[in-house]
Amino acid sequence: MPTQELTARQVSSPIESAAVVVAAADVAKTAAEHARAAERDRRLAPEVVRSLLDAGFARHFVPRRHGGDAGTFEEIVRAVAVVGEGCTSAAWAASLTASLGRMAAYLPEAGQRRVWAGGPDTLIVGALMPLGRARREEGGWRIDGTWPYVSAVDYADWALVCAMTTEDRPTARFFAVPRGDWRTEDTWSSVGMRGTGSNTLSVEGVFVPDELTFTRDALATGIAEGEEAPCHRVPLKAVNGLCFAAPVLGAARAALAAWREGTAPRHTSASGGLESAAAVVLGRAAGEADAAALLLEAAARTADTGQVTASDTARAGRDCALAAELATSAVDRLFASAGTRAHQDSAPLQRHWRDAHTASGHVVLGFQAAAEAYARELHAPHAAN
């Protein structure tokens, strides 16, 4: 990056000096050093998880009264993307760790005190699909269920799982379950994002008191009782895409760096300039990555106001999905132009390519559904008034 561009970014964006963004650079370095081991072991190295917690990802959205930062979405998007330049799996874990800390703020106050009794760096994982069943008992609920794809579950202190109640009118609720009350099955064997350790979590007949549960509707509408920080006053759909798209942006930036290091020298003339075709590849891929960043940062800034409309929510879903598409397109472009060398197991570019496709395949980042939701909101009767 040219010096003048770096200086302009630093001057124009105080977000760059936020503690979690600054700390993310060290996390990225540690994660990069352990990236190949993470692929081999299908989980992050303990040193990487420790660095994520030390950097403040778990505490980022935790209410200040529990020692957290009640931070901004723009800060976390920037920080996660930085980590992604070292390892997409680590960025995914960082992003979800922060996101689950935000969700836990929807618990009743007594439940929050229990979850964060050991401090705000408690590692919380989650399963948002209502795949469990919850039966009402005095003072709480008896839950059962199996939830696949729970990232970083091997290191978790608590899990937030979603289940349908067995009442006459079933309701989806989240339940906070401490480590020791669930069983983990080693089921994660993916083509990409191997280091996320997204294994299966099972709960059998565990009692969860009322203080450790809240409705999915509360999270969906963005009503966290008693919370005043903007990060706790936005609908889930307005910010959920940020959580999953930011790691893809990191993968695109990592792919750009890998291409410049491994591919560009083979297409550079004696005078030091890139060949025309290679220059076009680099220019377009870098532009796609930059466009993805602009979309995510704009959506994050809107969420940081704490006053998000239905139109804002629909636009955020569209923009996060589009950002993931743009970032993945950048990686595709770089990988396709890199030749056979990029296909070797030892080549970082093939890992970024696999990771970008696996991450962008998350259901939240599906562009068709997001575009349709945005179009319906745009043409809704109230939008014309």
Side-chain angles (χ1 to χ4, degrees):
M1 180 184 296
T3 302
Q4 61 270 27
E5 183 181 345
L6 179 60
T7 302
R9 278 194 178 186
Q10 290 173 335
V11 170
S12 62
S13 178
I15 297 294
E16 297 288 350
S17 61
V20 71
V21 179
V22 173
D26 286 336
V27 179
K29 181 180 178 181
T30 301
E33 292 169 352
H34 291 85
R36 294 199 69 182
E39 288 231 307
R40 180 195 66 219
D41 299 337
R42 293 179 295 113
R43 59 185 287 183
L44 296 175
E47 296 91 334
V48 175
V49 176
R50 184 70 260 165
S51 70
L52 291 174
L53 297 178
D54 290 344
F57 283 96
R59 69 169 61 209
H60 185 73
F61 289 123
V62 174
R64 290 189 179 92
R65 65 182 177 281
H66 296 300
D69 298 330
T72 71
F73 291 101
E74 189 175 5
E75 289 169 344
I76 208 66
V77 165
R78 297 285 187 100
V80 166
V82 170
V83 174
E85 294 180 44
C87 172
T88 317
S89 290
W92 189 267
S95 193
L96 291 179
T97 295
S99 181
L100 268 297
R102 189 185 86 89
M103 294 181 192
Y106 286 75
L107 288 166
E109 180 59 27
Q112 293 184 38
R113 287 196 297 269
R114 284 189 59 179
V115 168
W116 290 305
D121 293 323
T122 296
L123 179 53
I124 307 170
V125 297
L128 274 62
M129 296 300 292
L131 301 180
R133 290 171 59 83
R135 185 178 71 254
R136 182 67 181 165
E137 293 187 2
E138 184 177 356
W141 304 81
R142 186 74 58 180
I143 68 169
D144 296 90
T146 298
W147 294 267
Y149 311 130
V150 183
S151 300
V153 64
D154 292 336
Y155 294 104
D157 301 306
W158 287 79
L160 273 178
V161 296
C162 192
M164 295 297 298
T165 65
T166 58
E167 303 163 303
D168 292 338
R169 303 184 69 173
T171 302
R173 300 188 68 92
F174 282 99
F175 299 87
V177 182
R179 186 177 190 86
D181 282 357
W182 72 72
R183 177 171 51 87
T184 303
E185 300 175 53
D186 186 356
T187 56
W188 183 242
S189 183
S190 174
V191 68
M193 303 289 284
R194 292 174 179 171
T196 61
S198 302
N199 289 310
T200 298
L201 181 155
S202 296
V203 173
E204 298 176 3
V206 170
F207 178 78
V208 179
D210 286 329
E211 65 190 41
L212 291 175
T213 180
F214 60 92
T215 66
R216 189 171 64 171
D217 283 346
L219 182 62
T221 57
I223 302 173
E225 187 175 348
E227 302 295 345
E228 298 299 330
C231 63
H232 302 133
R233 308 294 297 177
V234 295
L236 177 63
K237 285 187 176 181
V239 295
N240 205 26
L242 296 171
C243 172
F244 300 107
V248 188
L249 172 59
R253 290 175 173 169
L256 281 163
W259 191 94
R260 292 180 67 181
E261 180 180 342
T263 303
R266 293 187 280 115
H267 298 278
T268 301
S269 67
S271 62
L274 276 178
E275 298 170 0
S276 178
V280 171
V281 168
L282 179 59
R284 185 173 290 276
E288 288 170 326
D290 285 348
L294 291 172
L295 287 169
L296 295 181
E297 289 164 11
R301 284 193 293 272
T302 298
D304 285 331
T305 67
Q307 299 177 349
V308 179
T309 66
S311 177
D312 293 331
T313 297
R315 180 185 291 273
R318 180 205 66 181
D319 288 353
C320 288
L322 182 56
E325 276 198 3
L326 286 167
T328 304
S329 176
V331 180
D332 282 345
R333 193 177 310 282
L334 296 162
F335 185 64
S337 72
T340 305
R341 296 183 187 184
H343 293 250
Q344 303 304 304
D345 283 342
S346 59
L349 192 52
Q350 56 82 25
R351 172 166 54 86
H352 305 321
W353 180 72
R354 289 185 289 104
D355 286 349
H357 275 275
T358 298
S360 63
H362 194 283
V363 64
V364 170
L365 298 178
F367 184 74
Q368 180 173 335
E372 289 178 357
Y374 172 74
R376 292 193 198 98
E377 178 61 31
L378 189 65
H379 287 278
H382 65 81
N385 296 331

